[in-house]
Amino acid sequence: MPKWLLFAAAAGVLHAAVIRGTVVEHQSGHPLARALVAIEPVSGTPGKVRSVRTNLSGVFEFSALSAGAYLVNVSRRAFAPVQYGQKRWKAAGVPVVVDEAGSAILNIRLARYGAITGTLLDENGVALPEHEVVAYLNTRPPRLAARGTTDDRGMYRIYGLEPGAYLIRTAARDYDEGSYLPTFARESATVDLALPVEVVLDQDTTDANVRPAPGRLFSVSGRAITSPRAPATVTLVSDMGSQTTTSDSDGRFQFKPEAPGQYEVYAQSSGARGLNAAFQPLALDRDRDIGVTLSPLPTLEVRIADTRGQSVDAPGIQILSRRKDLSGDGKPNTLRLKDGSAQLMPGRWDLSLAPTPGYVVAKFSGPRAEETGGPDGWHEISVAGNGAFPVIFTLSSNPGAVHGIVKSAGDPVPGAPVYLEAYDPDRRRRLADLRTVRTDTRGRYTFAGLAPGLYRILSTFEFNAPESSDLDASGAGMFRLEEGRDEPLDLDLYVIR
């Protein structure tokens, strides 16, 4: 039997299984009271998700359980969440398997999030107090993670950080005696030359010091033009984040001074006939006073058709949308259609059709559409003004599927994560969101509703939501799926040796 599989001895409550244990702080071993412990049955195990909180001694218990496999998740404020059996941060948890009338006793350790500390000094090495410092995940564009402010000695501590690589950047600051430009650690004006800082659990990453560069900041002000005149909410966006303000009754607005660079301006206002909005790019190379004219929202006219051009009216079809701006991608939301149309704020958007049983997206067309993935992935569009913009999703009624059994040393693996990636080998990139399932108690998995194309597949406990680079390193299997085909594919559990 594989070593990673925990089988409980026959003991405990008659005819019912029990999972009990203790949650402690990783560094000290002290019991953690009020930690939230949740169990989730693996497919094929009767029951539903249950949760309890640990008592003052850090003890928890789930009794009267059906025999089977369970995923155990533990969380507590200020600590990194844990799935029982994780080898490392962001690895997948291993299910706990209990026999009828068996019990499992678990000891779970929670580590605190990491932190970054450092000092801000001026050009003469003197501390800069009350200066904002921002930590970004080292992505492109960088993604805001947390903020901090220096104390009277110019020292800061940004905490609550997950493990990974971060970029530290000072905020623009306009003092009476002069201005400082946003500056990355260590002393870089651009993200490409910034020095990444590594964060690990239970530790402070120290000496992330920065000397902000003196320089000229530019003011951004203007007037949001509405009819009739009304206050508007105005947002200024760059690749490093955003700031929002509200105009006065005459539409006048002003932002705090910003560094030179490329920005986007978004504005919206509620009128008697609904929302009015505007979007415009802005190159900030001097003090700017701009006029932003708001108009009724653009309308998307959404059509869903089959490959013969006939309209498809399938229940459960959902269109997902997410805002795109210089700071990155927003959170996906369901686009609410009324009589086949919906209104969007002006600007750039991603659209995707949520997977639907019996159909798969074969083609997409839309306003100024840019193909950013496969047919069933995200599609970027651009809308502006108050016009109507047609969007067409073409569906095929012959989706594909892949199924199989995950094994380790010849034995089926219950509760094993299986990851499926639509992949473009020429551009070496992922074409759609990663799909994930877990095997059932017999080690079986299925992915349905797949578009034809090239895929990579991997089953492992080593990762949780792996990146494409992780699939590269693990030698994930690659296969081509034909339209309408249900591909049988058994997998060996991948383990880092």
Side-chain angles (χ1 to χ4, degrees):
M1 192 60 62
K3 294 181 180 179
W4 50 264
L5 196 58
L6 176 61
F7 282 98
V13 181
L14 186 63
H15 302 307
V18 177
I19 297 177
R20 61 170 63 93
T22 305
V23 180
V24 300
E25 185 180 37
H26 178 69
Q27 282 191 325
S28 67
H30 294 158
L32 285 177
R34 298 174 296 280
L36 181 65
V37 185
I39 60 170
E40 177 185 351
V42 169
S43 177
T45 298
K48 57 184 180 181
V49 175
R50 293 170 56 181
S51 63
V52 297
R53 288 196 179 271
T54 55
N55 62 19
L56 293 179
S57 299
V59 174
F60 66 90
E61 180 176 302
F62 296 94
S63 59
L65 298 175
S66 300
Y70 297 85
L71 297 171
V72 180
N73 301 280
V74 186
S75 60
R76 189 178 189 271
R77 189 162 59 91
F79 289 82
V82 164
Q83 285 189 344
Y84 180 77
Q86 281 179 309
K87 287 186 176 181
R88 64 188 68 82
W89 169 253
K90 285 298 185 181
V94 175
V96 176
V97 179
V98 287
D99 295 327
E100 186 177 1
S103 66
I105 300 176
L106 314 179
N107 188 314
I108 301 173
R109 309 179 77 88
L110 292 189
R112 292 184 179 273
Y113 285 112
I116 299 173
T117 67
T119 304
L120 266 59
L121 302 172
D122 69 10
E123 55 271 39
N124 295 316
V126 178
L128 287 172
E130 299 180 3
H131 200 118
E132 187 178 27
V133 188
V134 187
Y136 297 90
L137 288 170
N138 188 19
T139 58
R140 297 296 182 272
R143 194 163 74 248
L144 176 66
R147 300 175 184 269
T149 303
T150 59
D151 61 16
D152 60 319
R153 297 189 177 189
M155 302 173 66
Y156 72 90
R157 182 174 186 270
I158 300 176
Y159 58 91
L161 302 177
E162 296 182 353
Y166 291 81
L167 302 175
I168 293 297
R169 186 185 193 232
T170 62
R173 182 66 187 269
D174 196 16
Y175 292 96
D176 290 340
E177 60 273 22
S179 301
Y180 288 95
L181 298 174
T183 307
F184 288 100
R186 298 182 167 90
E187 289 68 73
S188 168
T190 64
V191 66
D192 292 335
L193 298 178
L195 180 67
V197 177
E198 287 292 332
V199 170
V200 297
L201 294 177
D202 269 338
Q203 294 185 25
D204 282 9
T205 301
T206 59
D207 298 327
N209 305 323
V210 194
R211 289 178 181 259
R216 172 78 187 278
L217 300 177
F218 298 119
S219 65
V220 180
S221 60
R223 180 166 173 251
I225 303 169
T226 61
S227 180
R229 292 183 181 180
T233 300
V234 188
T235 301
L236 183 67
V237 181
S238 73
D239 60 352
M240 303 303 297
S242 63
Q243 57 171 307
T244 299
T245 189
T246 302
S247 70
D248 60 22
S249 58
D250 195 40
R252 296 296 306 181
F253 62 86
Q254 182 160 353
F255 292 100
K256 64 182 182 181
E258 286 284 356
Q262 297 297 318
Y263 293 82
E264 293 172 333
V265 179
Y266 296 86
Q268 66 180 72
S269 177
S270 296
R273 299 182 180 179
L275 278 177
N276 294 304
F279 157 77
Q280 68 180 59
L282 175 67
L284 190 58
D285 53 5
R286 61 188 185 278
D287 291 338
R288 298 295 298 266
D289 189 84
I290 60 176
V292 183
T293 302
L294 284 68
S295 61
L297 301 186
T299 299
L300 282 187
E301 296 178 342
V302 181
R303 183 166 181 256
I304 301 173
D306 62 22
T307 53
R308 295 171 297 175
Q310 302 298 312
S311 294
V312 173
D313 186 18
I317 287 181
Q318 289 185 321
I319 308 297
L320 302 180
S321 64
R322 65 183 182 190
R323 187 70 170 266
K324 291 180 71 74
D325 57 37
L326 288 175
S327 65
D329 299 332
K331 293 182 179 180
N333 291 297
T334 300
L335 190 65
R336 301 191 179 278
L337 298 177
K338 184 178 180 181
D339 298 327
S341 64
Q343 290 185 314
L344 286 177
M345 302 291 290
R348 294 180 295 124
W349 291 84
D350 275 342
L351 297 180
S352 177
L353 189 140
T356 305
Y359 291 96
V360 67
V361 179
K363 186 179 178 182
F364 172 85
S365 64
R368 283 169 271 181
E370 180 178 330
E371 191 68 48
T372 57
D376 57 346
W378 290 100
H379 307 272
E380 182 178 330
I381 65 170
S382 179
V383 293
N386 58 355
F389 298 89
V391 166
I392 302 175
F393 284 94
T394 302
L395 304 187
S396 166
S397 58
N398 293 305
V402 59
H403 71 278
I405 298 176
V406 176
K407 297 180 180 180
S408 176
D411 296 321
V413 184
V418 186
Y419 305 105
L420 184 70
E421 176 189 63
Y423 186 64
D424 182 343
D426 295 329
R427 291 181 286 179
R428 300 182 61 83
R429 70 184 182 94
R430 183 174 292 171
L431 295 179
D433 291 342
L434 186 72
R435 297 197 188 204
T436 306
V437 298
R438 283 206 184 235
T439 59
D440 64 13
T441 53
R442 298 183 181 182
R444 300 174 301 187
Y445 76 91
T446 299
F447 290 98
L450 302 179
L454 196 66
Y455 291 86
R456 297 198 296 181
I457 191 167
L458 179 73
S459 179
T460 184
F461 289 104
E462 304 289 348
F463 308 113
N464 187 8
E467 301 292 337
S468 280
S469 57
D470 298 322
L471 298 181
D472 291 340
S474 60
M478 189 178 299
F479 67 96
R480 182 170 295 279
L481 185 65
E482 303 298 332
E483 184 177 7
R485 177 171 172 78
D486 188 354
E487 185 78 23
L489 187 60
D490 290 347
L491 303 173
D492 290 324
L493 186 74
Y494 173 74
V495 180
I496 297 177
R497 303 296 183 184

